[in-house]
Amino acid sequence: MRRGSFLTLCLWAGFAFLYLPILVLIVYSFNASRLVAVWGGWSVKWYGELFRDPQVLGAASMSLQIAAISATVAVVIGGLAGYALSRFGRFRGRTGFSTMLTAPLVMPEVITGLSLLMLFIAMEQIVGWPAGRGMTTVIIAHITFAAAYVAVVVRSRVAGLDRALEEAAMDLGARPFTVLRRITLPMLMPGLLSGWLLAFTLSLDDLVIASFVTGPGATTLPMLIFSKVRLGVSPDINALATLIVAVVASGVLLSGWIMLRTERRHARQVRAAFRREGAMDGN
Amino acid sequence: MAAADSTDTLVSIQGVTKDFGGTLAVDGIDLEIRRGEYFSLLGGSGCGKTTLLRMLGGFETPTSGRIMIDGQDMADVPAYRRPVNMMFQSYALFPHMSVAQNVAFGLEQENVVKSERDDRVAEALEMVQLGEYGRRKPHQLSGGQRQRVALARALVKRPKLLLLDEPLAALDKKLREKTQFELANIQVKVGITFIMVTHDQEEAMTLSDRLAVMNAGRIVQVGTPGDIYEFPANRMVGEFIGTINVFEGKADPENSAVHCPALPCPIVMEDRVAAESGSQIAIGIRPEKMRIRKAGPAPAEAAPASNFLAGKVEDIAYLGDLSIFHVRLADGRIVQVSRTNITRRRDEPLTWEDAVEVEWDPQAPVVLHQ
Amino acid sequence: MTDAAADRVADSPALSTSRGRLIGILIPTAWLLLFFAIPFLFVIKISLSEAAYSVPPVSDFLIWQDGWPVLQATWANFALILDDPLYLQALLGSLRIAAISTLLTLLIGYPMAYAIARAEPGMRTPLLLLVILPFWTSFLIRVYAWSTLLQDQGMINSALMWLGVIDDPMRMLNTEFAVQLGIVYSYLPFMILPLYATLERLDGSLLEAAADLGARPATTFWRVTLPLSLPGMAAGCLLVFIPAAGEFVIPELLGGPDTLMIGKIMWQEFFNNRDWPVASALATILLLLLIVPILLLDRTQSRAEQG
């Protein structure tokens, strides 16, 4: 089919477009030369440089802490919001609620960052908290926009769940809290998990908002990368990028492999069950 | 019904096979469908009937074999050039177009001029009694109305052949019965050949001039509804269409009889028993062709020498117009006997645990092949 | 009463007690009100204040004169922005660049989403994963990667020169083209995902019905597939356009000094000139421009959920 092959061509051209820059970064991370245009032979010296740089290590650990904390809180807030949107039907203020959850997804970061900074300054003047800016304010900012993303993930997951399961548990005498703990949360777990991962990545990735709301002593990894990149070519950034890609890719491959294995096992069990049934019908 | 006696062939299916990656959905089918006929493909899920229909429509390509429509080989003809239209099971009405736009869509593809197009759309909608609904969107219609739009949309192109994929499956029972007759009337009126896929034997029996019973990718029997009901080719057909009591026994061609160990006396048939003497064969008897009565006080001497059995009423299903009795024989097997309720139920002489006698005429039994 | 009863029927049991409902709605609402909605009020307030040499570098909005509060609001910052062609150009430039990039993203993303939606069911998840995967690696680093690729001595110029297509390196980095490329590249997944969602849900029998009624594949695409994927296109375009209009990192790293985008100007006003009131006024204007698209996006999303 001509149309089919045209589409396939588009698809693979698109993938080439998406992955070419990443591949180039990986290759150049092993370039001994400092210059992009010159291939100076294979080397891993930029990796060594990366690990010896206390600034990079400090910023990385700061970013990881911020990401872990904000992702966890964002899952709670975004999870509640997603659940409410999907299951509470109509309630007073629903439109405003839904808009407040959609807007952070697309709000230009410069606006979000600036407005949060203005809030923090005003709050400090009025209630005396947060005193100064730093890790705490960055975490609050990240929770806010990450919660909106978590809400999207959880909302679609909840919409795909059979309401009758919760009702059945209720019917069998489970109290609301028990239903939440034994039925709803376990069923939502995959959605919450991917929401957490998404929030974690978003937090790790954010430069603009953090630049506005951070204070002295709290430099995140993207801020450090940005300052290095702005000064010109820095091969250790290539090494860092390669490490990030490696971690993400192995994470994805691992989860994909686990998913594939469970899926195959399920398919096998289903087939076996059908065979048994068929054998019984035959008798 | 219309033109069932015409022998003019419209569709000719020759040795068609469809292989879906190792599973044979359709397995070497030969079939001729006559012009003007209402033909049904009947079978359970997965029997290949829908695949066969989709190959006629051009949505699947046969792995081997040939499909001829009106003398033309369809092998290289894409769906959009076939003189065939289909009514989809889901109706597949375009949700973003109004009813009239849906019906006009096919005519636009043929570049029919606007004035003629409008006339034909109006005419088609009138035919399905939806003249007033042209401006509505599909989601503003009831299920039955959508079904009729789908029919109008397929018929407005005046195809040589209309394919119907479970056309009534999405309707509730009452509406289905009403629509069946409308469908049959419309078919007679437009004179187009209809091929319908269905799993509902009652629907197939009511609507079709002829039908084909399919199983596991093959055609088991082709014939008129009467032929297939009264003379099922084998046990599977007999059991799929209606209910049938099956008895196994040894053939006795000299006496036109079959000796079944489960019965007290032989089954004697009007027709010749075409089997080797002493061979194991199966006999089927429809429940409505048996008569049931309460056993007399001394049954043994009055018992007939053939076509008779005795048992106990195990269950009674009262359906209003008729009652179905489950009679348990001495060896534990159940025989179903139905009886038209000519009298009011108040006078019902038979009840659970009653000893009963069942008999039938020699023309009732039919030999079933395996 | 009947409304309340209907609501209760629609409830889910786990959080259906009135206390559960309250928690489910109240916590996110309170958080978002405090840290997302209310902050805009402070931006507006600062945008109406005067710059000052102080910490923070703004004069007080409200001052006390003879025991009376006096509002010190000024339109000067907005007047400055509307007078200065630089700011206006930046505003219009942002909208134009964002619009062109959105269109390009749609043109590249649609066939990809369509190809994935038409792929075999088992292949769809891996293909989607391939689309999302780059999104999980650092955005900043990927944009930086383009800056090395687009350089005069970068790989693209070298390759073109080696192929003999050009003799001298083309200037690509620090141009508007580079900014558009960066936006398309960074936001492509946001276009593909909603498009895929609508295309995948598209009932295949509708396409078969169109073919059955005599429509050639191209006609089927224009008359059936495209109109039915409009909601996905709308969502995708808004998801790209809105954040792209305020983008800072991409014009900063890939654009030149003449590539004016509002996000970059705002950043400079804030960090380099320490002019908070003008930065706030710019943010306010951008927000006003984007409010309609944001509401539209919210509408398409809630409609997608209902339909």
Side-chain angles (χ1 to χ4, degrees):
Chain A
M1 297 272 231
R2 229 173 43 238
R3 198 153 74 111
S5 57
F6 169 72
L7 280 176
T8 315
L9 190 73
C10 286
L11 188 62
W12 293 111
F15 284 142
F17 174 57
L18 283 177
Y19 285 93
L20 175 76
I22 296 174
L23 279 179
V24 169
L25 280 189
I26 293 174
V27 172
Y28 276 107
S29 76
F30 296 104
N31 185 2
S33 158
R34 176 169 279 279
L35 296 170
V36 174
V38 185
W39 179 256
W42 295 92
S43 157
V44 290
K45 70 175 176 185
W46 305 115
Y47 289 86
E49 206 158 286
L50 195 68
F51 283 114
R52 275 191 301 275
D53 188 340
Q55 255 189 317
V56 169
L57 294 180
S61 113
M62 168 72 68
S63 271
L64 287 173
Q65 286 176 52
I66 290 174
I69 298 171
S70 55
T72 308
V73 182
V75 161
V76 176
I77 295 173
L80 283 172
Y83 193 88
L85 273 178
S86 186
R87 281 286 163 90
F88 284 0
R90 262 176 295 147
F91 53 86
R92 208 176 306 140
R94 188 195 155 96
T95 316
F97 188 67
S98 132
T99 310
M100 274 206 301
L101 280 166
T102 306
L105 303 178
V106 288
M107 188 59 71
E109 292 161 319
V110 282
I111 299 182
T112 313
L114 179 72
S115 60
L116 269 170
L117 174 63
M118 296 307 157
L119 173 83
F120 290 140
I121 288 171
M123 277 173 74
E124 193 180 5
Q125 284 171 346
I126 298 164
V127 296
W129 183 90
R133 283 164 299 286
M135 198 166 144
T136 316
T137 46
V138 176
I139 288 173
I140 291 175
H142 284 184
I143 290 169
T144 307
F145 74 82
Y149 279 89
V150 175
V152 172
V153 175
V154 171
R155 184 183 187 177
S156 66
R157 178 89 199 168
V158 174
L161 286 186
D162 188 356
R163 195 190 292 262
L165 293 172
E166 288 165 302
E167 284 165 356
M170 202 83 153
D171 181 65
L172 294 169
R175 301 168 57 80
F177 183 71
T178 315
V179 176
L180 181 71
R181 194 168 51 85
R182 297 280 308 275
I183 310 292
T184 314
L185 278 181
M187 288 194 310
L188 280 183
M189 217 19 112
L192 293 175
L193 207 65
S194 54
W196 191 90
L197 278 173
L198 184 61
F200 187 82
T201 332
L202 287 166
S203 168
L204 266 189
D205 226 16
D206 168 63
L207 162 74
V208 176
I209 296 176
S211 300
F212 275 99
V213 299
T214 194
T219 302
T220 63
L221 193 58
M223 289 161 71
L224 187 73
I225 295 173
F226 185 62
S227 63
K228 276 175 179 279
V229 162
R230 254 217 296 213
L231 292 175
V233 181
S234 31
D236 50 338
I237 295 300
N238 295 342
L240 182 62
T242 307
L243 287 178
I244 294 176
V245 170
V247 169
V248 169
S250 50
V252 167
L253 285 180
L254 189 72
S255 59
W257 180 70
I258 291 172
M259 248 160 41
L260 198 71
R261 217 181 46 167
T262 16
E263 230 167 71
R264 284 211 179 122
R265 202 174 49 213
H266 279 184
R268 250 202 322 273
Q269 285 164 348
V270 167
R271 270 201 305 277
F274 271 112
R275 262 203 304 280
R276 264 198 304 278
E277 215 167 76
M280 267 151 71
D281 278 353
N283 285 341
Chain B
M1 286 194 183
D5 54 353
S6 160
T7 48
D8 184 6
T9 298
L10 177 71
V11 181
S12 170
I13 298 167
Q14 300 163 4
V16 165
T17 296
K18 179 69 190 180
D19 187 341
F20 283 118
T23 21
L24 275 179
V26 169
D27 187 3
I29 282 186
D30 292 295
L31 190 62
E32 307 257 290
I33 290 154
R34 301 164 193 158
R35 204 179 293 276
E37 186 171 42
Y38 198 130
F39 192 91
S40 295
L41 296 166
L42 176 64
S45 63
C47 73
K49 57 189 192 301
T50 303
T51 309
L52 184 60
L53 193 78
R54 290 172 57 80
M55 287 193 287
L56 288 170
F59 306 115
E60 307 282 357
T61 326
T63 311
S64 65
R66 202 153 70 130
I67 293 175
M68 312 273 287
I69 296 179
D70 209 10
Q72 196 195 348
D73 191 341
M74 288 289 126
D76 296 319
V77 183
Y80 55 88
R81 287 221 194 90
R82 295 195 180 194
V84 170
N85 284 116
M86 177 140 161
M87 198 179 128
F88 289 81
Q89 183 176 7
S90 63
Y91 310 144
L93 299 178
F94 305 125
H96 57 299
M97 298 181 193
S98 69
V99 167
Q101 284 169 334
N102 262 284
V103 178
F105 186 89
L107 297 176
E108 284 169 38
Q109 308 312 318
E110 288 176 357
N111 297 320
V112 175
V113 291
K114 176 117 173 50
S115 56
E116 189 196 337
R117 202 163 70 205
D118 291 347
D119 290 347
R120 280 171 69 177
V121 168
E123 187 192 333
L125 285 176
E126 211 55 60
M127 183 180 67
V128 295
Q129 294 149 36
L130 286 174
E132 312 281 295
Y133 292 84
R135 294 236 182 108
R136 296 243 190 133
K137 285 280 178 71
H139 66 87
Q140 295 167 309
L141 301 179
S142 71
Q145 289 169 332
R146 288 181 206 179
Q147 191 259 2
R148 283 183 276 156
V149 175
L151 183 63
R153 185 177 74 175
L155 283 176
V156 77
K157 292 196 75 174
R158 297 175 189 155
K160 289 179 180 161
L161 174 64
L162 183 75
L163 308 173
L164 304 103
D165 186 4
E166 302 269 7
L168 307 171
L171 306 179
D172 60 54
K173 194 170 181 329
K174 263 269 177 297
L175 193 55
R176 197 156 59 214
E177 282 165 8
K178 181 170 161 276
T179 315
Q180 275 180 8
F181 290 104
E182 282 176 12
L183 206 55
N185 287 338
I186 286 173
Q187 197 260 340
V188 172
K189 196 156 43 172
V190 296
I192 291 171
T193 311
F194 278 27
I195 300 181
M196 173 175 83
V197 149
T198 181
H199 68 274
D200 183 334
Q201 41 124 343
E202 215 175 296
E203 199 172 293
M205 303 275 285
T206 316
L207 288 166
S208 326
D209 297 321
R210 288 195 307 145
L211 56 98
V213 181
M214 290 184 67
N215 186 35
R218 292 166 189 242
I219 288 181
V220 187
Q221 189 175 6
V222 184
T224 64
D227 285 347
I228 288 181
Y229 186 80
E230 300 295 352
F231 304 100
N234 64 20
R235 190 172 179 156
M236 179 257 147
V237 175
E239 283 174 347
F240 189 76
I241 297 182
T243 312
I244 198 159
N245 296 300
V246 179
F247 302 98
E248 277 155 8
K250 283 197 168 62
D252 177 6
E254 274 132 75
N255 300 314
S256 293
V258 180
H259 301 278
C260 306
L263 298 179
C265 53
I267 296 173
V268 174
M269 297 174 62
E270 199 177 64
D271 300 331
R272 220 171 50 81
V273 176
E276 231 169 275
S277 183
S279 64
Q280 198 74 18
I281 60 169
I283 295 293
I285 309 175
R286 299 275 184 197
E288 75 278 5
K289 294 189 168 51
M290 297 171 129
R291 288 184 301 274
I292 186 168
R293 62 164 187 269
K294 210 167 191 161
E301 53 192 285
S306 66
N307 293 350
F308 167 85
L309 60 84
K312 234 179 209 175
V313 174
E314 166 120 347
D315 227 329
I316 307 172
Y318 174 69
L319 303 180
D321 51 350
L322 44 88
S323 293
I324 294 168
F325 297 88
H326 286 202
V327 177
R328 183 174 288 278
L329 304 188
D331 69 344
R333 71 157 61 211
I334 300 279
V335 170
Q336 288 193 42
V337 183
S338 70
R339 193 199 61 194
T340 314
N341 291 326
I342 303 170
T343 55
R344 289 263 169 128
R345 204 187 175 204
R346 189 181 307 159
D347 311 322
E348 180 59 79
L350 287 177
T351 184
W352 290 273
E353 295 298 321
D354 273 356
V356 289
E357 294 168 352
V358 174
E359 56 181 11
W360 55 90
D361 295 338
Q363 35 97 352
V366 57
V367 176
L368 299 174
H369 303 282
Q370 284 304 318
Chain C
M1 261 334 272
T2 47
D3 261 6
D7 268 4
R8 210 172 306 134
V9 171
D11 273 354
S12 78
L15 287 164
S16 69
T17 55
S18 52
R19 207 193 314 155
R21 264 182 92 102
L22 210 61
I23 293 172
I25 297 173
L26 216 56
I27 292 179
T29 307
W31 185 282
L32 287 167
L33 268 181
L34 179 59
F35 294 114
F36 186 73
I38 292 176
F40 294 132
L41 299 180
F42 289 100
V43 174
I44 294 169
K45 182 193 139 185
I46 302 289
S47 74
L48 296 171
S49 308
E50 277 175 46
Y53 292 102
S54 62
V55 178
V58 276
S59 67
D60 251 336
F61 196 62
L62 206 64
I63 54 166
W64 295 87
Q65 226 165 37
D66 309 329
W68 292 96
V70 176
L71 210 54
Q72 283 281 73
T74 168
W75 292 104
N77 304 308
F78 289 95
L80 177 78
I81 291 168
L82 295 176
D83 269 354
D84 191 330
L86 174 86
Y87 294 121
L88 277 182
Q89 268 174 33
L91 268 172
L92 294 176
S94 300
L95 297 181
R96 191 190 42 165
I97 291 174
I100 295 173
S101 314
T102 303
L103 194 68
L104 291 173
T105 316
L106 177 65
L107 289 179
I108 296 174
Y110 200 105
M112 288 180 76
Y114 195 72
I116 298 173
R118 290 278 154 265
E120 284 183 27
M123 280 302 292
R124 288 177 202 164
T125 311
L127 288 173
L128 270 186
L129 213 57
L130 275 179
V131 171
I132 306 168
L133 203 57
F135 177 79
W136 294 77
T137 63
S138 170
F139 160 69
L140 198 56
I141 288 177
R142 280 180 299 130
V143 174
Y144 155 74
W146 275 109
S147 77
T148 62
L149 276 172
L150 294 173
Q151 277 174 9
D152 288 356
Q153 305 87 34
M155 230 175 75
I156 294 177
N157 268 317
S158 315
L160 288 177
M161 276 155 69
W162 183 77
L163 286 170
V165 180
I166 49 173
D167 295 327
D168 297 308
M170 258 195 307
R171 182 155 167 267
M172 287 184 288
L173 191 59
N174 303 333
T175 62
E176 196 173 303
F177 163 75
V179 174
Q180 279 159 1
L181 183 88
I183 293 175
V184 172
Y185 179 77
S186 309
Y187 289 95
L188 193 55
F190 291 94
M191 181 65 83
I192 292 179
L193 290 181
L195 272 176
Y196 167 79
T198 49
L199 286 171
E200 195 247 1
R201 244 179 304 157
L202 192 73
D203 183 358
S205 70
L206 292 177
L207 308 182
E208 289 184 348
D212 182 67
L213 294 167
R216 310 170 130 274
T219 316
T220 304
F221 178 77
W222 283 107
R223 298 276 318 263
V224 181
T225 311
L226 202 65
L228 288 177
S229 58
L230 277 176
M233 286 166 69
C237 287
L238 289 167
L239 282 173
V240 175
F241 177 81
I242 302 169
E247 185 56 56
F248 161 72
V249 173
I250 295 171
E252 173 71 16
L253 292 185
L254 302 179
D258 51 342
T259 319
L260 294 175
M261 281 190 80
I262 195 72
K264 195 170 139 187
I265 302 284
M266 216 193 96
W267 178 285
Q268 283 166 356
E269 290 294 345
F270 186 86
F271 287 104
N272 305 359
N273 303 348
R274 288 186 65 75
D275 193 338
W276 290 20
V278 166
S280 298
L282 284 171
T284 308
I285 292 173
L286 184 58
L287 187 63
L288 287 175
L289 288 174
L290 294 181
I291 267 181
V292 173
I294 288 172
L295 290 179
L296 276 178
L297 176 69
D298 190 41
R299 186 88 67 75
T300 55
Q301 278 180 339
S302 23
R303 211 179 296 149
E305 190 151 281
Q306 284 157 20

